[in-house]
C-alpha cells in the first residue's frame, strides 16, 4: 500500500478481506506483474461476482480450468505473458459479458472453440503469439461488437471464413505469421470500419 491514502488503504484491505473470506463477493482480482508460479486453481470458478481478472506478466503454468466458465459477470480477462498451455476450454463461451480477452504470449495449443461465437459483447481478442492450430470457426462472424482481433504468430490453417464479413465494427485484424491458405473472401469488402488488415 505504499503511496496510498488512508482511504485507499482501507478500500484495498477491505477488498482483500472480501476476496479471501467471501470469494463469491469478490469483483476484482489483480495480481499482475509479479513472479507468481503454479497453475490456475479450479476454485477460481467460485468467484462468481468477478468482473475483472488481471494475472498478466507472471510465470503461471498449466491449463485454463474449465471452471472459468462460471465467471459469467467477467468483462476483463487478462492472463497474457505467462506460460499457460493446453487448449481454450469451450466453457469460455459462457462469458457473455466479456469485453477484453487478453491471452497472448502464452503457450496455448489446440483449436479455437466454436463456442466463442457466443461472446457477442467481445471487443478485444488478443490471442497472438501462442501455438493455436486449426481453422478459424465461422461462428466468429457472430461477434458483431468486435473491434480488434489479433491472432498472429500462431499455427492456424485453412481459409478465412466468409462470415467475417459481418464484423462491420472491426477496425483491426492481424492474422499474419500463420499457415492460412485460400483466397480472401469477397465479404471482407463489407468491413467498412477496417483500418488495418495484416
Amino acid at each position: 500500500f505504499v503511496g496510498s491514502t488512508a482511504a485507499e488503504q482501507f478500500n484495498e484491505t477491505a477488498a482483500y478481506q472480501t476476496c479471501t473470506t467471501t470469494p463469491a463477493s469478490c469483483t476484482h482480482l489483480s495480481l499482475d506483474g509479479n513472479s507468481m508460479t503454479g497453475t490456475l486453481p479450479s476454485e477460481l470458478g467460485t468467484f462468481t461476482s468477478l468482473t475483472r481478472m488481471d494475472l498478466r506478466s507472471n510465470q503461471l503454468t498449466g491449463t485454463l480450468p474449465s471452471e472459468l466458465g462460471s465467471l459469467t459477470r467477467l468483462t476483463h480477462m487478462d492472463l497474457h505473458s505467462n506460460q499457460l498451455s493446453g487448449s481454450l476450454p469451450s466453457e469460455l463461451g459462457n462469458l457473455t459479458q466479456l469485453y477484453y480477452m487478453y491471452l497472448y504470449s502464452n503457450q496455448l495449443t489446440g483449436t479455437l472453440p466454436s463456442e466463442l461465437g457466443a461472446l457477442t459483447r467481445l471487443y478485444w481478442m488478443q490471442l497472438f503469439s501462442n501455438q493455436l492450430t486449426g481453422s478459424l470457426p465461422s461462428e466468429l462472424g457472430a461477434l458483431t461488437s468486435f473491434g480488434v482481433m489479433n491472432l498472429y504468430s500462431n499455427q492456424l490453417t485453412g481459409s478465412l471464413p466468409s462470415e467475417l464479413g459481418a464484423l462491420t465494427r472491426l477496425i483491426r485484424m492481424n492474422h499474419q505469421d500463420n499457415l492460412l491458405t485460400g483466397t480472401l473472401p469477397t465479404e471482407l469488402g463489407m468491413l467498412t470500419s477496417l483500418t488495418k488488415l495484416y
Side-chain angles (χ1 to χ4, degrees):
F1 301 144
V2 176
S4 300
T5 65
E8 288 171 337
Q9 290 180 14
F10 175 81
N11 290 335
E12 290 170 358
T13 301
Y16 173 79
Q17 291 174 341
T18 298
C19 286
T20 55
T21 60
T22 315
S25 299
C26 183
T27 59
H28 288 68
L29 179 61
S30 298
L31 293 167
D32 55 287
N34 285 289
S35 299
M36 296 174 60
T37 59
T39 60
L40 295 174
S42 60
E43 287 80 5
L44 281 175
T46 64
F47 288 60
T48 50
S49 294
L50 207 62
T51 60
R52 188 181 191 101
M53 177 190 294
D54 190 350
L55 298 173
R56 60 191 155 95
S57 302
N58 279 288
Q59 300 172 34
L60 299 172
T61 57
T63 60
L64 296 173
S66 60
E67 288 80 3
L68 293 181
S70 298
L71 307 180
T72 54
R73 298 184 183 181
L74 201 64
T75 60
H76 292 65
M77 175 186 284
D78 197 344
L79 297 169
H80 76 76
S81 302
N82 279 288
Q83 300 168 34
L84 298 170
S85 58
S87 59
L88 296 174
S90 60
E91 288 81 1
L92 293 183
N94 297 332
L95 307 182
T96 54
Q97 302 301 309
L98 201 62
Y99 188 79
Y100 292 101
M101 177 187 284
Y102 288 1
L103 295 172
Y104 62 89
S105 297
N106 278 290
Q107 300 167 23
L108 297 171
T109 58
T111 61
L112 293 173
S114 60
E115 287 82 0
L116 294 182
L119 306 182
T120 54
R121 295 193 177 188
L122 193 64
Y123 184 83
W124 289 84
M125 177 185 278
Q126 303 277 53
L127 290 170
F128 60 87
S129 297
N130 280 289
Q131 300 168 32
L132 298 171
T133 57
S135 58
L136 294 175
S138 60
E139 288 82 359
L140 293 181
L143 304 183
T144 52
S145 295
F146 244 167
V148 178
M149 177 167 47
N150 286 329
L151 296 170
Y152 62 87
S153 297
N154 279 288
Q155 300 171 30
L156 298 171
T157 57
S159 58
L160 295 176
S162 60
E163 288 81 0
L164 295 183
L167 306 180
T168 54
R169 296 183 183 180
L170 197 66
I171 59 173
R172 184 185 306 165
M173 180 165 61
N174 189 342
H175 297 342
Q176 63 185 350
D177 294 326
N178 279 288
L179 301 170
L180 298 171
T181 57
T183 60
L184 290 175
T186 58
E187 289 81 359
L188 293 186
M190 300 170 62
L191 304 181
T192 54
S193 298
L194 197 66
T195 60
K196 294 184 179 180
L197 174 61
Y198 300 100

